Amino acid sequence: GAGVSQSPRYKVAKRGQDVALRCDPISGHVSLFWYQQALGQGPEFLTYFQNEAQLDKSGLPSDRFFAERPEGSVSTLKIQRTQQEDSAVYLCASSLDRDQETQYFGPGTRLLVL
Amino acid sequence: KQEVTQIPAALSVPEGENLVLNCSFTDSAIYNLQWFRQDPGKGLTSLLLIQSSQREQTSGRLNASLDKSSGRSTLYIAASQPGDSATYLCAVASYNTDKLIFGTGTRLQVFP
């Protein structure tokens, strides 16, 4: 079956530009996570959804970052007024339900802000 | 605040060697610990998940152990192959939170 997909795979943005990153989780997965991975580092948690409810957004680095999952399936991570320090790989993961611990990761979106 | 550390940061070995990758965490109140593999430009693939009540998990040539009280986990790779070359990440999940806390990874290269 299809895994987690993300688009675009690569994005180059000029500083100050807004970007939107899309995540399609595995069909039927209730939980969805966004992580940010800087070069040479492990992923760091950004935010978590259970269905359409955003239950934890403690990892979002600033109010320029916004995530939504309006219908409980596809999610979008939006970054406004991008800065160079936003350059990273953005990973999306989904899991079957809150008690299903295994998270399945997408290939990520590599964002480069110039 | 939970912190996860992985040693070594990088490892280069000839094919056939048995390997041990180490992961340590500061808060022993974990729900589970997972080991992932990440290939360049790719997402993460889950290798093994150990529940807090378990001591080890095995999958093929991989064996992961967990000592919760000392805050340590090891990933043992038997008879390494060039196809094992990747970055290996460990991550812990704590009670009352759904997020994973990752280490910085061990970059493994197995040469023929």
Side-chain angles (χ1 to χ4, degrees):
Chain A
V4 178
S5 61
Q6 293 185 245
S7 61
R9 291 293 312 277
Y10 303 92
K11 177 69 178 178
V12 179
K14 293 182 179 179
R15 191 172 57 182
Q17 186 178 353
D18 297 349
V19 298
L21 313 180
R22 177 187 169 107
C23 172
D24 283 84
I26 294 173
S27 178
H29 277 198
V30 168
S31 298
L32 186 146
F33 304 81
W34 284 99
Y35 294 86
Q36 180 190 58
Q37 186 175 25
L39 189 64
Q41 301 296 314
E44 293 192 358
F45 171 80
L46 293 176
T47 188
Y48 159 66
F49 290 86
Q50 187 176 2
N51 294 307
E52 69 278 2
Q54 189 174 20
L55 299 185
D56 187 346
K57 53 181 181 179
S58 62
L60 295 177
S62 77
D63 59 7
R64 296 186 295 103
F65 287 71
F66 172 76
E68 61 183 4
R69 193 186 185 198
E71 298 179 357
S73 55
V74 171
S75 177
T76 303
L77 176 66
K78 298 179 179 178
I79 309 174
Q80 297 177 326
R81 304 181 303 282
T82 52
Q83 303 294 316
Q84 286 186 322
E85 61 263 27
D86 300 334
S87 297
V89 175
Y90 291 85
L91 295 165
C92 176
S94 70
S95 65
L96 187 58
D97 58 44
R98 187 169 186 170
D99 296 325
Q100 177 67 30
E101 301 92 352
T102 299
Q103 294 183 22
Y104 297 88
F105 281 78
T109 293
R110 186 176 299 273
L111 173 65
L112 176 62
V113 182
L114 302 176
Chain B
K1 177 184 174 184
Q2 179 73 272
E3 294 183 2
V4 181
T5 304
Q6 291 187 245
I7 296 174
L11 189 59
S12 182
V13 299
E15 182 176 10
E17 281 204 4
N18 300 323
L19 309 171
V20 175
L21 308 183
N22 297 290
C23 173
S24 61
F25 44 96
T26 55
D27 185 351
S28 61
I30 65 169
Y31 186 59
N32 63 50
L33 182 145
Q34 298 183 58
W35 283 92
F36 291 88
R37 168 185 174 137
Q38 186 172 33
D39 293 280
K42 302 285 182 63
L44 280 65
T45 301
S46 180
L47 298 174
L48 291 164
L49 183 152
I50 311 176
Q51 301 288 358
S52 61
S53 58
Q54 297 176 323
R55 295 291 299 227
E56 67 176 345
Q57 282 286 336
T58 298
S59 176
R61 294 182 294 108
L62 305 179
N63 175 278
S65 67
L66 174 64
D67 184 344
K68 205 172 69 162
S69 61
S70 67
R72 297 176 189 273
S73 176
T74 60
L75 178 66
Y76 177 81
I77 303 176
S80 58
Q81 302 172 358
D84 295 330
S85 299
T87 296
Y88 291 80
L89 293 154
C90 74
V92 299
S94 301
Y95 290 96
N96 301 319
T97 180
D98 299 278
K99 61 186 178 185
L100 295 175
I101 306 296
F102 284 86
T104 53
T106 294
R107 292 191 315 279
L108 172 65
Q109 181 180 14
V110 181
F111 53 90

